[in-house]
Amino acid sequence: MKTPDLVIAAVLLLAAAAPARAQTPPEGLVWMALNEINAESFDRDDPTNRPPLVTRVPDGMLRPVDVSPDGRTDWLVDFGAAGLSSFCGTGGCTQVLYVSGGDTGFIRAFDARTLAFDVVERDGETRIEARVHHLNCRPDQAECWFAWTWDAALDRLVERPAADGLTRLEGGGFEPVDRLRADTPDDLPEELSAAWFGGRLTCRDYSDDGFTTLRPEFRSVPDIDGDGRRDWIEIPPVCAEQNAGVDQFSLWVTAGDEALEEVYHSEFERYPSIDIGATPATVLENPACGHGPPCPDTRLRWDGGAQRFVLGGR
């Protein structure tokens, strides 16, 4: 629920009256940060049920960073500095990175909870390195790190080896901006949008309606078929009351005419990983190994003649 317009206007006037600094955050980010903090306690039924109005962004919440090599300042919004527990959890605190560019002046490049977040120079490029909840990595990893660098042509962060040197992305990796789990498929290519609508699954639950509707999840991944273009993993929905063992995945690649084609559909009880240690990236398929013996790491091989992925290969 949003803070009333009069409150927002008062906050902006107070923020504008603050003394200018060498790295003054954009007015829109100041508004957003203050709105997020004040709206967190908003109660329409009881307008007196709130703490004092916050009119100054907490120190350290808006930080200038340099991610894209365009000479303009990028900005990190560190919600851990807001001092509110609602912005943090077992996976850390929310970090939102805005990179200069795009029609609005900034592109939301990262928006997720992290246990650690760094902007570093590594291997001759600027990288984002984030430690996230361990469920996003293999069970035997003590810490779960992912890394990216900014791709100005794609207007997005692209994957790099993690801070610990590991190159394997479980499930296809960690999405820096989780746009594709939303209720609409607006950010998906046409073919994936059709699969999103067609992949609807209705599951029983304990809500008032007695059911919930799930959709497939899609993850953009580095090039896996060798044509230099990014590809996709599709994870179909699974009802919670079903036992483990129905999980599977599909691979989609860009065809010559720019259309996407589904080029692999796994059997049940199979999970994907992408290894970016080589170009193109390698696709690995595994059963649910959990904390048991090491997974066999079955590699999928691109068959250029058939224009499909097949099991096995070197």
Side-chain angles (χ1 to χ4, degrees):
M1 197 171 291
K2 296 182 178 179
T3 305
D5 293 341
L6 289 177
V7 173
I8 295 175
V11 168
L12 284 175
L13 287 174
L14 288 166
R21 299 180 180 178
Q23 288 286 341
T24 302
E27 184 180 88
L29 287 185
V30 173
W31 179 91
M32 185 196 75
L34 293 174
N35 187 50
E36 291 271 7
I37 293 172
N38 286 293
E40 198 274 337
S41 300
F42 181 66
D43 183 351
R44 186 179 296 278
D45 291 326
D46 184 358
T48 65
N49 181 26
R50 65 168 179 81
L53 184 68
V54 177
T55 60
R56 179 178 177 274
V57 178
D59 291 340
M61 187 173 179
L62 298 180
R63 292 163 40 196
V65 293
D66 187 10
V67 174
S68 62
D70 62 359
R72 293 184 289 171
T73 301
D74 309 307
W75 290 91
L76 176 66
V77 186
D78 180 1
F79 281 88
L84 296 173
S85 60
S86 59
F87 297 133
C88 300
T90 57
C93 297
T94 299
Q95 307 286 335
V96 185
L97 174 66
Y98 288 94
V99 176
S100 57
D103 296 336
T104 62
F106 288 96
I107 298 169
R108 184 165 58 100
F110 188 98
D111 189 345
R113 288 187 175 183
T114 71
L115 296 162
F117 188 96
D118 299 308
V119 181
V120 301
E121 294 296 322
R122 197 180 305 280
D123 296 334
E125 63 184 8
T126 302
R127 290 189 184 176
I128 301 299
E129 296 182 344
R131 183 163 71 93
V132 301
H133 197 284
H134 64 87
L135 291 180
N136 293 286
C137 287
R138 293 169 66 96
D140 57 355
Q141 286 184 236
E143 295 184 343
C144 185
W145 285 92
F146 291 94
W148 304 265
T149 193
W150 181 252
D151 189 315
L154 297 177
D155 282 340
R156 62 162 291 152
L157 293 173
V158 294
E159 299 83 354
R160 289 293 186 266
D164 53 14
L166 298 181
T167 58
R168 181 170 173 145
L169 309 177
E170 299 300 321
F174 183 86
E175 282 287 352
V177 180
D178 205 3
R179 294 191 179 99
L180 302 181
R181 296 173 188 258
D183 293 333
T184 62
D186 293 343
D187 292 316
L188 291 172
E190 180 180 352
E191 296 81 7
L192 300 188
S193 178
W196 186 90
F197 280 107
R200 181 178 63 183
L201 180 65
T202 301
C203 303
R204 293 177 297 175
D205 66 9
Y206 295 98
S207 65
D208 290 341
D209 293 331
F211 68 92
T212 185
T213 300
L214 303 178
R215 301 281 187 172
E217 296 178 7
F218 297 92
R219 182 156 296 165
S220 173
V221 296
D223 173 33
I224 57 176
D225 65 337
D227 66 356
R229 296 174 290 191
R230 293 184 67 85
D231 300 309
W232 294 83
I233 291 177
E234 176 187 355
I235 307 295
V238 177
C239 292
E241 71 267 16
Q242 292 177 324
N243 295 324
V246 298
D247 300 77
Q248 54 189 153
F249 67 94
S250 294
L251 300 176
W252 294 75
V253 303
T254 307
D257 59 356
E258 299 298 324
L260 287 177
E261 292 183 1
E262 185 181 16
V263 293
Y264 186 77
H265 190 81
S266 77
E267 297 180 357
F268 292 128
E269 294 189 358
R270 295 296 184 268
Y271 303 88
S273 299
I274 305 292
D275 191 332
I276 59 172
T279 302
T282 302
V283 183
L284 302 173
E285 176 181 294
N286 275 310
C289 301
H291 294 275
C295 283
D297 283 346
T298 302
R299 178 184 175 184
L300 299 184
R301 177 177 58 85
W302 177 248
D303 185 330
Q307 292 293 290
R308 298 191 62 81
F309 277 96
V310 295
L311 285 172
R314 294 176 294 175

